[in-house]
Amino acid sequence: MAKFDTNVQELKYKVLREVATLAYEDRLSTGILDIPETIVPGPKATMRCCIYKERAIVNERVKLAMGGDPSVPGVVEVLNIACDECPVSQVTVGPSCRGCIAHRCQNACPKDAITMVNHHAVIDQSKCIACGRCVSACPYGAINKNTRPCERACKVNAISMDENRKASINAEKCISCGACVYQCPFGAIMDKSYILDAIRILRESDNNAKYQVYAVVAPSVAGQFGARVGQVVSAIKQLGFRDVVEAALGADMVAYKEAAELAEKGFLTSSCCPAFVMYIKKNFPKLVPNISHNVSPMVQAAMFIKALHPNSKTIFIGPCVAKKAEQKWDTVKDWIDCVITFEELQALIDSRGIDLASQPDVEMNNASYYGRIFARSGGLSDAVAQALKEQGITEEQFKLKAIACSGIEECKMALLKANKGVLPENFIEGMACEQGCIGGAACLTHGPKEKIEVDKYGKLAMEKNITEAVQILQMAEQSAKQRSGD
């Protein structure tokens, strides 16, 4: 089993693995009720107050592993039964309060929520609006503002507490980045899983006889599974996929087209990260026309596959929760049939008893170095710069001034400047996750090692430039046209 960053991820993985195992054995309808007891055998509780609550939470996780509640918008849901351990009082007075006679906290409060009781500040939580003015005013630092981890993780302010003091997601603001999923210490927020859809697509293909199933794998796979990329590819094929295509090939195609579009229009924001695209559409409508008109590398790679193999289905595998939302877009759903994450791939591999360490190290040679480094922040900008050179667009014709934004907060600053017309750069590379896709919410591990591994993986393709990679697409398009003309 792969190493995860947190025990929450491991618990999520165990549920996914059990669901996948039962689905493959055609025992899901009869065995589903046994999953909570399998994962929480007891007799003593290890995570919550009692094993019965632990099992009840696992049961809710099973529902998410099977696709979640279709009436809940978006791809992220709150498990209400699991959301009860965070402080409900956002602003509290600690023991450092000296009961000073200045009463700066009381005077700073706009809602008269603070009174002095026995020379100690007391906050009326029914009046408090958590503005934080008292926190700033207290000379002793005795007042603290407690922000829930999910709220702190959400940089678009889509999470708040509802009337029952549970986390609530505002679908109008949510960009499906998954930051709350990864940061919640109790695993009370989870992305809907489409692992059963992936299993169904694979099994109904009848070993690729009825249609061929292709995996489109994100380049951030490097370093994720404690095995070489080629071994992961072998395991994916063992699951029943006809073949594996690098999403990095799609990235090469996107970089090539995006460079030409940028030189023509003079200013663009990238379109590779669906969470970043949603953020612009929801918060900066004025800049929507400046979003690159190119599809994401995931979609571009799928287009390549379906041009060569019209009777095929594609499943994207990556570190991104937002890709699950992107798959449902009208412009995407005909190209990508299902999206699963690295967490879900690990569960699939283990549910079939596949030992990664013993798999042969097969070679993938679709993409260039520049397509592969899309996985980390700054990689897209480097690829666009290279594509401009390969297309013969000189600095006299167009000079690239790119800004690589790592995380939504950096994206916000760049977009605010662009919205006001004061951004000095002419290309915004926006990645909702910090450090780019290698920081994706559904990565098995997060850290500097992943950037090193992606760069090493990229350098394995140094003999190929973007133009040479893109020629594969051109040949596929010619082949498709010939077939349609026959």
Side-chain angles (χ1 to χ4, degrees):
M1 188 185 74
K3 179 177 174 60
F4 297 94
D5 279 348
T6 71
N7 289 347
V8 168
Q9 285 179 285
E10 186 172 344
L11 175 60
K12 178 181 180 182
Y13 151 80
K14 288 179 179 179
V15 172
L16 290 166
R17 183 193 61 198
E18 291 302 315
V19 167
T21 299
L22 292 173
Y24 271 115
E25 296 174 356
D26 293 317
R27 295 193 299 114
L28 192 57
S29 59
T30 56
I32 189 173
L33 296 178
D34 296 328
I35 293 178
E37 192 167 346
T38 299
I39 293 176
V40 185
K44 292 183 178 181
T46 59
M47 298 175 284
R48 301 281 182 159
C49 59
C50 64
I51 61 170
Y52 306 107
K53 182 165 185 176
E54 289 182 1
R55 289 172 181 171
I57 293 172
V58 168
N59 189 56
E60 293 302 305
R61 288 184 169 278
V62 170
K63 294 177 184 178
L64 268 293
M66 295 176 64
D69 185 348
S71 68
V72 175
V75 296
V76 178
E77 286 189 35
V78 177
L79 287 72
N80 285 328
I81 190 174
C83 183
D84 63 356
E85 301 291 346
C86 289
V88 296
S89 299
Q90 285 194 306
V91 182
T92 57
V93 180
S96 298
C97 176
R98 309 308 300 160
C100 64
I101 63 174
H103 295 178
R104 286 191 174 92
C105 59
Q106 190 175 34
N107 294 327
C109 181
K111 295 296 181 180
D112 296 324
I114 299 179
T115 56
M116 306 305 293
V117 179
N118 294 328
H119 304 292
H120 192 87
V122 175
I123 299 175
D124 183 342
Q125 297 296 335
S126 66
K127 293 181 180 180
C128 178
I129 60 172
C131 65
R133 295 182 188 179
C134 59
V135 177
S136 301
C138 178
Y140 292 103
I143 305 178
N144 301 306
K145 185 174 181 179
N146 303 308
T147 304
R148 287 183 167 191
C150 59
E151 292 183 65
R152 187 165 56 248
C154 182
K155 305 305 181 182
V156 296
N157 299 317
I159 298 182
S160 60
M161 286 190 291
D162 63 16
E163 62 276 7
N164 297 315
R165 299 286 184 168
K166 306 289 187 181
S168 176
I169 299 174
N170 184 337
E172 296 300 315
K173 293 182 178 181
C174 180
I175 57 173
S176 302
C177 66
C180 56
V181 176
Y182 179 67
Q183 291 296 337
C184 177
F186 285 90
I189 307 177
M190 183 174 163
D191 52 307
K192 297 176 180 178
S193 174
Y194 303 107
I195 195 170
L196 291 182
D197 291 338
I199 293 172
R200 175 183 54 79
I201 289 170
L202 286 165
R203 299 187 74 189
E204 291 181 359
S205 75
D206 192 16
N207 291 320
N208 294 287
K210 292 182 179 178
Y211 53 80
Q212 296 174 323
V213 186
Y214 288 84
V216 178
V217 179
S220 47
V221 67
Q224 277 294 301
F225 291 85
R228 293 183 292 278
V229 172
Q231 292 178 302
V232 178
V233 171
S234 292
I236 292 172
K237 289 181 179 180
Q238 273 209 51
L239 289 171
F241 287 89
R242 172 67 179 80
D243 207 348
V244 179
V245 175
E246 295 183 79
L249 173 61
D252 279 319
M253 299 170 186
V254 168
Y256 199 83
K257 294 180 179 179
E258 207 152 83
E261 184 184 7
L262 176 58
E264 177 188 347
K265 295 181 178 178
F267 174 72
L268 280 182
T269 69
S270 62
S271 58
C272 300
C273 172
F276 176 61
V277 170
M278 284 188 276
Y279 182 64
I280 295 175
K281 290 181 176 179
K282 292 185 177 188
N283 297 278
F284 296 92
K286 178 182 168 183
L287 296 177
V288 168
N290 299 110
I291 300 173
S292 170
H293 284 62
N294 291 292
V295 297
S296 67
M298 171 184 81
V299 179
Q300 189 68 74
M303 287 178 167
F304 160 70
I305 292 168
K306 292 195 174 186
L308 282 177
H309 310 284
N311 186 35
S312 65
K313 293 186 183 294
T314 56
I315 297 176
F316 177 75
I317 304 171
C320 182
V321 172
K323 287 294 182 185
K324 295 181 178 182
E326 183 186 0
Q327 189 275 330
K328 299 180 184 300
W329 296 354
D330 290 338
T331 54
V332 175
K333 61 186 180 182
D334 289 340
W335 303 108
I336 293 290
D337 297 283
C338 181
V339 169
I340 61 172
T341 63
F342 290 153
E343 293 172 329
E344 291 157 344
L345 175 61
Q346 183 71 61
L348 281 176
I349 289 171
D350 291 345
S351 73
R352 305 306 293 150
I354 299 171
D355 178 28
L356 272 172
S358 64
Q359 295 302 304
D361 188 9
V362 301
E363 183 180 5
M364 275 203 305
N365 193 27
N366 304 132
S368 78
Y369 163 79
Y370 295 96
R372 288 179 175 180
I373 63 171
F374 261 58
R376 48 95 168 155
S377 179
L380 168 55
S381 297
D382 291 345
V384 169
Q386 176 66 18
L388 286 168
K389 291 179 184 177
E390 292 185 26
Q391 293 178 60
I393 301 173
T394 65
E395 287 195 2
E396 287 74 23
Q397 294 171 296
F398 178 81
K399 186 173 183 178
L400 174 66
K401 296 179 181 178
I403 178 170
C405 300
S406 171
I408 281 297
E409 289 181 310
E410 289 188 11
C411 292
K412 180 180 179 180
M413 294 304 298
L415 291 169
L416 282 169
K417 292 179 181 179
N419 207 42
K420 294 178 180 179
V422 296
L423 183 73
E425 291 83 10
N426 53 25
F427 180 64
I428 301 176
E429 175 197 312
M431 298 289 186
C433 296
E434 293 186 10
Q435 302 305 314
C437 301
I438 58 174
C443 281
L444 305 185
T445 60
H446 303 72
K449 178 178 75 73
E450 278 59 53
K451 179 181 183 300
I452 294 170
E453 291 296 327
V454 164
D455 283 339
K456 283 169 56 180
Y457 177 52
K459 288 176 182 176
L460 294 175
M462 283 295 284
E463 79 285 352
K464 185 187 300 180
N465 61 32
I466 295 174
T467 304
E468 290 169 335
V470 169
Q471 285 174 349
I472 298 173
L473 172 65
Q474 294 170 341
M475 288 188 291
E477 290 174 338
Q478 290 173 359
S479 176
K481 288 178 181 178
Q482 289 173 354
R483 282 198 304 270
S484 62
D486 292 341

